[in-house]
Amino acid sequence: MKRVYFLSGTMCNEDLWKKIFALKKEYIPVYIDITSASSFDEINDLIFQAIDTSAVLVGFSMGGFAALNFARLNPQKISKLILIAASDQPLSDTEIKLRKNTIQLLQDYPYKGISKTRINQFLHPDNQTNTEIISLIKRMDQELGKDVLIRQLKATSERIDISKSLIHLTAPITLVGSQNDALVSYKKLEAMASRLPNAKLICIDHAGHMIPLEQPCKLSDILNHEICT
């Protein structure tokens, strides 16, 4: 069976994929931990060291951007990209401002963990009272902790627009998104799919940004199909 490599988003660890891995078919999931990286260059090194030639990369959120960034620089290493709630665009001014304020607060005060308000931004309204999902988000945040949060916010906030450098990619790209994602708008994903070669977009209903946690069965079906075809 082929190996498939998974990248998580900011303040997410391998637990993000726990249900996905339990529902896998005919592939071996390999999780790449990028939480030690202090820049996208270091993330690229971690990916390069972990993957085989002609690898399938699956990335969520910031991990999806990292997968795209790696692929544009190392196209010969990638056979397929599957990107979940991820964009090739820089973060919005609002998100960058929020992150800078968060870094300043983290440096000045003890970290009390991710807030319920922030969690709600990640979730579909129907899932904002789902205690299982909320507990998992809090647990990942707690396990990774303040130092990782500061490092990831500093390392991944200043993202360049890589869209123009992706037009030469020949590997198939599957984008997975949600109409209710408050962080990565579906319109941006539609525009991204239209300009990338060999790209297609799949919409998952009743999810916000945290698609792997909110709709693991639907996402697993997509991954099993896309990986094995």
Side-chain angles (χ1 to χ4, degrees), residues 99-122:
R99 285 170 170 238
K100 287 181 178 179
N101 290 339
T102 300
I103 291 170
Q104 188 62 53
L105 288 170
L106 288 169
Q107 291 173 335
D108 294 341
Y109 300 99
Y111 182 50
K112 298 180 179 180
I114 187 170
S115 69
K116 184 61 166 64
T117 299
R118 184 62 169 165
I119 290 174
N120 285 345
Q121 291 177 330
F122 294 144

Side-chain angles (χ1 to χ4, degrees), residues 31-46:
Y31 176 66
I32 303 176
D33 185 355
I34 58 176
T35 56
S36 65
S38 298
S39 66
F40 277 112
D41 286 341
E42 290 186 11
I43 291 174
N44 287 339
D45 289 341
L46 290 171

